[in-house]
Amino acid sequence: MAFRVLTRTAGNQQQQQLKLLSDLLIRSFSSGPKNVGFIGLGNMGGPMASNLMAKGHKLHVFDISKEAKDSLQAKGATPYDNVAELAKASDFVVTMLPNNDIVADTYDTIIGSGGIKNQTVFIDSSTIDPNVAKAVQKKVKAAGATFVDAPVSGGVPGAKNATLTFMVGGTTEEYQAVKELLEGMGKKITHCGGYGMGQAAKVCNNMMLGISMCGLAECMNLAIRLGLDPKVFSDIVNASTGRSWASEVNNPVPGIIPTAPAASGYAGGFATGLITKDLGIASAVATSSNSPIPLGALTHQIYRTLMAKGLANKDFSVVYDFIKNSEGK
C-alpha cells in the first residue's frame, strides 16, 4: 500500500511538472505582447527595459531610484513600490541587480511576500556567484515557478543597442521558453548548460575583460611614453593581434573613441566597483574549484587599489589613468 501511494505521489508530481512545462512553452511562444516585470533600472537595466517596451511588451518596473522609475514610466511602463506586487502582475520577471546579497534578498522578499505565481518565469541577468544562482533557482522552483540565470555581456552600448550576448543556465526547454524574450534585448542568446552555468560563463568572461583592460591600459601608456601617437597605435592594435573589445569599443585613452567613457571623464559605463565585485567572484570560485588564476588575482588586486582610491563609480577603463600617473617602480 505504501509503495502504491509513493508511486501515485511521484506520478502526480511528474504530471504537475509536465503541465507547468507545457504552460510555460505555450505562453512563451504565444504571439503578442507579454507582461514583463523588470527589477533594476541602472546603466544596463534601464536600456534593456526600454528595448522590451520598444518590442511592444507591457513593462512593470521597480528600482530603488525614483528617477529611474520615472524615466521608464514616461515611456509607458507601470512603476511599483515593491517587488512582490510587481511579480504578481508579471508573467516574466527580469532582474538586473548589483551583487549576490541583493539578488538573494530580492528573491527572498518576492517568495516570502507571496509574489510568485505558478507560471511566472524569473530571469536573472545580474552577475553573481554560480552557487547563489543555483540556490535561488531551488527556492523559486520550490515555490512553484521557473528560474533561469541569464547574465549578459556587451556593456552599456550593447544594452542601449539591443546587441547584448545572453548566457543562459537552465534546462533546454526553459532556454527555449525565454529565448524570444531575450532576443528583444540581445543578438546572441546562448544556452550554456544547467543552472548556474550562465553565471559560470559570465564570471570567466568578466575576468578576461578585466585582464584585457589592464593589459590595454598598460600598453597604451607604454606606447605613448615611447612617442607613438595614441590614435595611430590604437588603429594598429585594432588591425592586429592585440585587438579586443576594450580596444575597439572602450579604449581607455581620452580622445580616441568619442563614445567611450574615457571621453567623458570615465563617467558611466561599467563601474570599477562592479568589475572588482566580479573579479572577487572569480577568485572565490577559482579557490573552490582549485583553479590557478594568477592574472585574474593580480587584476583583482589592481582594481581593489582603484576602489581604495575612491574610483568605484568610475568606468573600469580608469585603470589607464591610474597607470599613467604611476612612476613604474
Side-chain angles (χ1 to χ4, degrees):
M1 178 67 70
F3 175 77
R4 191 176 302 167
V5 171
L6 288 173
T7 301
R8 187 184 305 119
T9 300
N12 290 338
Q13 290 176 342
Q14 186 177 33
Q15 288 179 354
Q16 290 174 355
Q17 291 175 352
L18 288 173
K19 184 178 185 305
L20 180 62
L21 177 59
S22 175
D23 291 342
L24 169 65
L25 292 173
I26 290 172
R27 189 170 71 257
S28 64
F29 289 125
S30 63
S31 59
K34 297 176 175 61
N35 279 311
V36 182
F38 208 109
I39 300 172
L41 307 171
N43 289 339
M44 295 290 291
M48 290 165 68
S50 293
N51 287 330
L52 287 176
M53 293 180 66
K55 291 291 184 180
H57 299 300
K58 182 179 179 181
L59 262 289
H60 308 269
V61 299
F62 174 86
D63 195 278
I64 59 173
S65 166
K66 183 178 184 302
E67 182 180 355
K69 287 194 295 184
D70 289 346
S71 176
L72 268 294
Q73 183 179 17
K75 297 178 181 179
T78 302
Y80 285 77
D81 292 328
N82 67 79
V83 293
E85 291 302 315
L86 176 147
K88 289 178 183 178
S90 308
D91 295 320
F92 292 82
V93 176
V94 181
T95 49
M96 190 66 172
L97 299 165
N99 57 48
N100 290 337
D101 291 341
I102 294 176
V103 170
D105 288 347
T106 297
Y107 279 93
D108 284 345
T109 297
I110 292 172
I111 294 169
S113 301
I116 285 188
K117 299 182 297 183
N118 285 342
Q119 296 180 9
T120 305
V121 181
F122 292 88
I123 304 168
D124 182 45
S125 290
S126 317
T127 299
I128 58 174
D129 188 312
N131 293 315
V132 174
K134 292 176 184 178
V136 171
Q137 186 276 331
K138 288 180 180 179
K139 290 181 179 180
V140 172
K141 181 179 179 180
T146 299
F147 174 94
V148 299
D149 50 293
V152 303
S153 180
V156 174
K160 290 181 177 178
N161 298 322
T163 57
L164 293 168
T165 293
F166 282 86
M167 294 156 269
V168 183
T171 67
T172 299
E173 293 80 10
E174 289 165 348
Y175 164 72
Q176 292 295 337
V178 301
K179 186 172 184 287
E180 182 182 358
L181 184 70
L182 298 182
E183 285 173 340
M185 300 177 283
K187 68 175 182 180
K188 185 173 179 61
I189 321 299
T190 301
H191 185 209
C192 297
Y195 305 117
M197 290 303 98
Q199 293 295 349
K202 178 60 188 296
V203 166
C204 292
N205 178 78
N206 274 23
M207 185 173 75
M208 175 66 78
L209 176 63
I211 292 170
S212 64
M213 179 57 80
C214 286
L216 177 64
E218 188 174 285
C219 292
M220 290 297 300
N221 182 62
L222 175 61
I224 292 168
R225 290 193 181 190
L226 291 175
L228 280 162
D229 180 282
K231 182 66 168 65
V232 170
F233 181 64
S234 175
D235 290 343
I236 290 170
V237 168
N238 288 330
S240 304
T241 54
R243 184 176 67 251
S244 66
W245 180 88
S247 69
E248 290 185 318
V249 178
N250 198 18
N251 193 294
V253 179
I256 292 182
I257 300 177
T259 55
S264 57
Y266 300 101
F270 185 33
T272 290
L274 292 178
I275 190 70
T276 306
K277 178 263 295 183
D278 293 351
L279 289 164
I281 294 173
S283 179
V285 297
T287 298
S288 66
S289 62
N290 196 30
S291 303
I293 54 165
L295 292 179
L298 178 58
T299 302
H300 186 208
Q301 184 57 46
I302 291 170
Y303 278 106
R304 288 178 66 188
T305 300
L306 296 185
M307 291 278 289
K309 291 184 175 294
L311 299 172
N313 294 323
K314 294 289 188 180
D315 180 74
F316 77 121
S317 59
V318 76
V319 68
Y320 166 77
D321 196 60
F322 169 72
I323 291 173
K324 180 187 72 173
N325 293 312
S326 299
E327 293 298 324
K329 295 179 181 179

